[in-house]
């Protein structure tokens, strides 16, 4: 793990928002998370208006840290969005996707144990492609790919 100004950044969720805390150690038997530096919150009237949660560890890019997240609408539809975080202070959002980058469209995402869900669980970059691993309707696992430059341009 990479340190930010000599500390680790732990990203977690409190209620319906994504928070962060800086800690000296990742040994949580000795180090406690005591703060909620609010990073990401629901946006009323938008696709992520009920709650948000982190999807995968942020990915360092030349523009900053790319962080994927899930957002839930008032109709309980789970979608995936992206934020670009400041490289030196990742608690600061540079930009946030106005529209989701992934939403339920396939039958296996729309119908299942919980309908209308794409729930991201991890992401990696291979070459110039972003691979997003996600659950569909709580009944299947899938991967979506998108050019990394496309995601980054959507955050300009």
């Amino acid at each position: 793990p990479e340190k930010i100004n000599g500390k680790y950044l732990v990203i977690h969720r409190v209620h319906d928002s994504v928070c962060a805390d800086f800690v000296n150690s990742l040994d949580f038997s000795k180090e406690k998370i005591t703060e909620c530096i609010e990073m990401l919150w629901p946006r009323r009237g938008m696709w992520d208006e009920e709650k948000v949660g982190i999807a995968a560890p942020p990915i360092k890019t030349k523009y900053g840290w790319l962080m994927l997240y899930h957002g839930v609408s008032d109709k309980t539809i789970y979608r995936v969005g992206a934020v670009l975080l400041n490289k030196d202070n990742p608690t600061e959002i540079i930009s946030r996707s106005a529209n989701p980058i992934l939403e339920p469209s396939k039958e296996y995402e729309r119908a299942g144990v919980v309908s209308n869900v794409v729930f991201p669980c991890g992401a990696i970059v291979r070459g110039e492609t972003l691979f997003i691993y996600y659950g569909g309707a709580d009944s299947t696992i899938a991967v979506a790919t998108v050019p990394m430059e496309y995601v980054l341009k959507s955050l300009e």
Side-chain angles (χ1 to χ4, degrees):
E2 187 168 331
K3 289 186 175 183
I4 308 291
N5 297 323
K7 295 192 173 209
Y8 296 104
L9 178 67
V10 177
I11 302 172
H12 55 99
R13 187 166 93 186
V14 175
H15 304 294
D16 60 359
S17 297
V18 173
C19 295
D21 193 6
F22 288 97
V23 295
N24 293 310
S25 166
L26 296 178
D27 181 352
F28 295 106
S29 66
K30 298 175 184 167
E31 184 85 28
K32 301 295 180 206
I33 296 174
T34 58
E35 290 188 45
C36 174
I37 303 166
E38 193 172 30
M39 293 177 60
L40 191 66
W41 49 91
R43 298 178 289 185
R44 302 298 170 219
M46 295 190 73
W47 62 271
D48 53 0
E49 69 181 316
E50 289 298 317
K51 62 183 171 182
V52 294
I54 189 169
I59 298 167
K60 193 172 189 178
T61 75
K62 61 184 176 184
Y63 305 108
W65 294 92
L66 174 66
M67 185 174 79
L68 301 179
Y69 71 98
H70 71 270
V72 183
S73 74
D74 65 336
K75 294 184 175 35
T76 320
I77 300 172
Y78 282 70
R79 297 176 175 102
V80 181
V83 294
L84 190 62
L85 306 173
N86 183 303
K87 197 180 288 189
D88 298 320
N89 179 10
T91 63
E92 178 187 313
I93 292 176
I94 295 170
S95 60
R96 183 173 178 179
S97 56
N99 297 305
I101 62 170
L102 180 63
E103 59 186 337
S105 62
K106 306 288 186 196
E107 184 62 26
Y108 61 85
E109 299 163 342
R110 290 181 296 154
V113 176
V114 179
S115 298
N116 294 312
V117 172
V118 290
F119 194 90
C121 302
I124 62 166
V125 177
R126 296 272 179 174
E128 301 298 320
T129 303
L130 176 65
F131 290 73
I132 303 169
Y133 299 90
Y134 69 97
D138 284 9
S139 58
T140 190
I141 298 171
V143 63
T145 60
V146 62
M148 186 68 156
E149 203 58 35
Y150 176 84
V151 175
L152 293 171
K153 284 194 181 293
S154 76
L155 294 168
E156 288 183 339

